[in-house]
Amino acid sequence: MVTPVTSLGTRLSPEEIGYLTAGPGRAAETALARLIDADLVRVSRQGLVSAVHLGDHGALTELERRTLSYARTGARFDTVVQSTAYSTEMKRLHQHLLDQKLMQQPRRRHEGWWFSLAVAIVLVVLGFTAPAFFLGVPIALLFFVWQRGRKAVTEAGAKALRHVAATDRVHAVALYGFCGKVNGHAVADLFELSQGIVKMLPLKQNRKRRSSSDGGGGCGSSCSSCGSGCGGSSCSSSSSGCSSGGSSCGGGGCGGGGGGGD
Amino acid sequence: MAGITDLGVGIGWRSEIDLTVERLPGVDFVEVVAENLHIGHLPESVTLLLERGIPVLPHAVSLSLGGADPVDLSRVEHLGRIAEAVGAPMVSDHVCFVRAGGLDSGHLMPVPRTKDALDVLVANVKLAQENLPVPLALENVAALLEWPDGELSEGQFLAELVERTDCWLLVDVANLYANARNIGTDPHRFLDEIPLERLAYVHVAGGVDHGDVYHDTHAHAVLPEVLGVLDELCSRVKPPGVLLERDDNYPSDAEIASELAAIRAVVEKHRA
């Protein structure tokens, strides 16, 4: 598996791609996908995830080690994903993305964000009659920019994601989630997982990259794990992309933390 | 029943490895733990295997046929209904007791090998047989102790059980190995003494050493020594079936396939 290299020279791991694309839930799915891909965990027909070996054998990342620990005694598919999504290891991954300037603390879009813009326009119009009004335009625009909010994923993060493709099934999960589609095919099929299993993940619309073709379908699984915490009070700034909910989440649902796809 | 159908090489079906069992090449039959299934909603995987024509044999762990308490007929009835649901040619349990005085041991406890204990066992087995729709096979257990004042060897005990009840035998070669290691019994003598013509099929399982004690864990790899006991058995009789039991710490699909292949190699060696 070749690690994608962005135009900035930033090497993104599948988990980082998952996080940047749709938040901690997607990163957790990606870690699980890599473990399944490497035959380090198995998933039963009922969606029970169990580790194949004792210990951390074969785990390549902190997140994978955490996922393996949840699967040690066997746990439901959705429980493993959500537990990993809320782990301290996930917070460290988020911090790493912040440090790399690929993410930033998002700022919620203010409900009246458009009002400052309207004021600025009015001030411009009035400025033609009384130039003193022009002085208020920059102030109104500053308010507008602030209140408009900002996405969790930085421009650099979004740019890095634009060069990533679903070159294998792990990257397919990172980009589209277990519930998504790639080239018209269900990502779950790549892992021989039934829809019954992947739909254990709470249903949430994920308008971010959920399909490589039509943008439709998919249950937005990663958003799901994010989503459950996203709207809740427990969703602090430390939960990163998930905490956005405003401009970066694009409204309805968490959308994952940022979405470089927009 | 004149004889047991040739079952081939199989594996214990467990829900954790259901997809693995479905995908494994060369699985000729499977065994399910009867107590884990419910009439009316068999696991999808079991249904799929049945549709493929794979025989599914119910294996019970709770009849406590060696116990002094009367057999719980509701458990026997459940086993029979599972057998009918999966169209099984036979069912099985163990020569052991698992409860006494209202307490469950959570373990397959060995039966004292006395004439009196055999009488109790025979009575319970006959009662179970009367209430089962298919033949019953009984399995030798692994023991960490022997009750005092035993009058019969394990082989003699089972031979007399077969003679008096017409039951079939499910020989667990891993248990033979465990008993040889832990209480010094002789697998060769056991095989000499049991009626091999009443062999239903064979269990193979893994275990691990803890100091001087061998634990029949079903959660570790099958030891070459256990395959050696299987080899000895196959040199005497062609077993109708041989089944790998794995109950925990499931290894990769490749490792399970490798263990099945090793079992098949021993069986095929003698068939050739």
Side-chain angles (χ1 to χ4, degrees):
Chain A
M1 182 165 61
V2 178
T3 303
V5 181
T6 71
S7 58
L8 295 177
T10 308
R11 288 179 176 275
L12 293 178
S13 71
E15 289 167 3
E16 290 169 339
I17 294 167
Y19 203 119
L20 289 171
T21 303
R26 182 68 62 79
E29 285 185 65
T30 307
L32 178 57
R34 219 288 297 176
L35 294 173
I36 298 172
D37 185 63
D39 285 335
L40 296 173
V41 298
R42 61 161 52 83
V43 185
S44 77
R45 215 171 246 285
Q46 276 74 41
L48 192 71
V49 181
S50 51
V52 165
H53 301 282
L54 294 172
D56 295 335
H57 176 84
L60 298 178
T61 67
E62 278 191 325
L63 223 48
E64 289 182 6
R65 273 187 281 280
R66 172 56 57 195
T67 306
L68 274 180
S69 75
Y70 290 129
R72 183 72 54 227
T73 53
R76 276 169 53 112
F77 189 83
D78 53 333
T79 304
V80 170
V81 170
Q82 297 210 35
S83 299
T84 305
Y86 287 115
S87 65
T88 51
E89 287 80 1
M90 188 64 77
K91 289 186 173 72
R92 279 202 284 271
L93 175 62
H94 175 234
Q95 187 58 51
H96 171 73
L97 293 169
L98 291 174
D99 295 343
Q100 296 293 309
K101 312 288 187 202
L102 298 171
M103 293 191 77
Q104 59 195 349
Q105 294 298 348
R107 199 169 55 242
R108 182 181 291 274
R109 176 175 292 183
H110 192 275
E111 284 177 7
W113 62 274
W114 53 270
F115 183 72
S116 302
L117 181 61
V119 169
I121 293 169
V122 170
L123 288 174
V124 169
V125 171
L126 293 174
F128 288 110
T129 56
F133 283 111
F134 282 126
L135 295 174
V137 173
I139 298 168
L141 285 177
L142 273 175
F143 266 103
F144 166 67
V145 169
W146 178 260
Q147 291 182 329
R148 194 181 60 162
R150 68 178 184 184
K151 296 180 178 181
V153 175
T154 63
E155 185 58 36
K159 193 172 180 182
L161 276 181
R162 280 198 287 273
H163 297 272
V164 176
T167 50
D168 55 49
R169 61 182 187 167
V170 176
H171 279 86
V173 170
L175 290 171
Y176 309 115
F178 278 117
C179 291
K181 287 185 174 181
V182 57
N183 297 325
H185 299 288
V187 173
D189 290 349
L190 300 175
F191 291 83
E192 297 180 65
L193 296 174
S194 70
Q195 287 298 312
I197 292 174
V198 295
K199 284 182 178 171
M200 283 178 166
L201 298 165
L203 185 64
K204 278 270 187 177
Q205 284 301 315
N206 177 2
R207 75 185 187 90
K208 305 302 173 187
R209 298 167 75 167
R210 63 186 173 190
S211 169
S212 65
S213 52
D214 56 12
C219 64
S221 53
S222 53
C223 177
S224 56
S225 47
C226 167
S228 59
C230 188
S233 57
S234 64
C235 196
S236 65
S237 59
S238 64
S239 58
S240 66
C242 189
S243 66
S244 52
S247 59
S248 59
C249 275
C254 166
D262 274 2
Chain B
M1 187 166 62
I4 295 291
T5 318
D6 188 7
L7 294 165
V9 174
I11 185 168
W13 181 93
R14 305 290 183 264
S15 61
E16 294 92 335
I17 54 168
D18 53 4
L19 290 170
T20 297
V21 172
E22 292 169 29
R23 291 169 188 155
L24 279 173
V27 170
D28 303 317
F29 74 109
V30 300
E31 190 186 72
V32 292
V33 177
E35 286 82 354
N36 291 346
L37 298 192
H38 305 283
I39 297 297
H41 43 95
L42 291 176
E44 184 183 0
S45 176
V46 170
T47 305
L48 183 80
L49 292 168
L50 286 170
E51 287 170 357
R52 288 186 198 166
I54 304 284
V56 175
L57 306 186
H59 184 54
V61 293
S62 68
L63 296 189
S64 198
L65 295 168
D69 295 330
V71 176
D72 182 348
L73 287 180
S74 66
R75 294 176 189 272
V76 177
E77 183 190 359
H78 176 76
L79 178 59
R81 292 181 68 192
I82 292 290
E84 287 174 335
V86 299
M90 78 179 100
V91 294
S92 58
D93 201 321
H94 303 81
V95 178
C96 73
F97 68 98
V98 298
R99 71 185 70 83
L103 296 174
D104 273 279
S105 68
H107 195 74
L108 306 175
M109 303 291 287
V111 175
R113 290 200 297 274
T114 63
K115 294 281 187 185
D116 288 344
L118 183 60
D119 288 343
V120 171
L121 176 64
V122 165
N124 284 340
V125 169
K126 283 184 174 175
L127 184 58
Q129 287 172 319
E130 286 166 12
N131 289 277
L132 285 169
V134 291
L136 174 66
L138 293 170
E139 177 183 351
N140 58 304
V141 299
L144 290 170
L145 59 87
E146 277 196 299
W147 296 108
D149 304 324
E151 299 168 75
L152 301 165
S153 69
E154 187 175 17
Q156 290 168 338
F157 192 81
L158 293 183
E160 195 157 335
L161 173 67
V162 170
E163 188 175 326
R164 292 173 61 180
T165 65
D166 203 30
C167 71
W168 292 82
L169 288 177
L170 169 47
V171 171
D172 189 318
V173 291
N175 290 349
L176 290 182
Y177 173 73
N179 289 350
R181 284 283 309 276
N182 298 330
I183 55 177
T185 55
D186 180 3
H188 293 258
R189 181 181 172 192
F190 177 92
L191 295 173
D192 286 340
E193 291 175 343
I194 62 168
L196 288 171
E197 69 279 7
R198 297 296 292 178
L199 178 62
Y201 59 105
V202 177
H203 273 175
V204 178
V208 68
D209 283 313
H210 274 283
D212 293 334
V213 177
Y214 175 78
H215 281 278
D216 178 51
T217 60
H218 295 199
H220 295 83
V222 176
L223 295 186
E225 293 87 340
V226 171
L227 291 178
V229 180
L230 175 65
D231 188 53
E232 177 63 30
L233 182 148
C234 291
S235 71
R236 297 163 185 247
V237 66
K238 174 187 168 186
V242 183
L243 183 128
L244 173 66
E245 280 189 305
R246 184 85 184 203
D247 294 330
D248 200 5
N249 188 25
Y250 302 98
S252 67
D253 291 8
E255 287 172 74
I256 294 176
S258 169
E259 291 206 322
L260 283 175
I263 290 168
R264 189 180 293 280
V266 173
V267 174
E268 297 291 337
K269 184 177 87 173
H270 292 281
R271 290 191 179 181

